Amino acid sequence: DPYFVRWAIDKIISWKNLSVFENLIHIHGTEDRIFPIKYTKPDIIIKGGGHFMIVDQTKEIENHIIKIVEKSKV
């Protein structure tokens, strides 16, 4: 839908977030063409991960999340 795409691009470009949660963990893929990694500061980088990596690299992401949860239990 071209109207949604235009709306979404405008919201991304004009977003002025001023707060970052203390416990936020940013997982980002090296091959994300929608949000290129060079414009981000991720905590965890998934090599070869694209914008759809939650589907095609599920196991690697799951392993990172499990490690995060285990650390938080200490």
Side-chain angles (χ1 to χ4, degrees):
D1 178 356
Y3 298 105
F4 173 75
V5 171
R6 248 184 252 124
W7 173 86
I9 290 171
D10 175 64
K11 298 307 171 203
I12 291 166
I13 292 171
S14 62
W15 186 30
K16 304 286 188 231
N17 184 37
L18 301 175
S19 60
V20 177
F21 294 101
E22 239 180 75
N23 60 349
L24 178 79
I25 297 172
H26 178 179
I27 301 173
H28 205 94
T30 59
E31 302 302 318
D32 189 332
R33 293 184 351 208
I34 306 297
F35 299 109
I37 196 166
K38 68 181 180 180
Y39 299 114
T40 68
K41 295 177 184 170
D43 300 296
I44 297 170
I45 297 172
I46 306 295
K47 186 176 181 182
H51 198 69
F52 202 58
M53 71 180 180
I54 192 71
V55 172
D56 58 19
Q57 293 192 262
T58 307
K59 196 64 180 168
E60 185 175 353
I61 295 168
E62 177 187 23
N63 290 338
H64 283 290
I65 292 172
I66 288 169
K67 287 177 190 173
I68 292 164
V69 171
E70 286 173 351
K71 277 185 183 177
S72 72
K73 290 181 181 180
V74 175

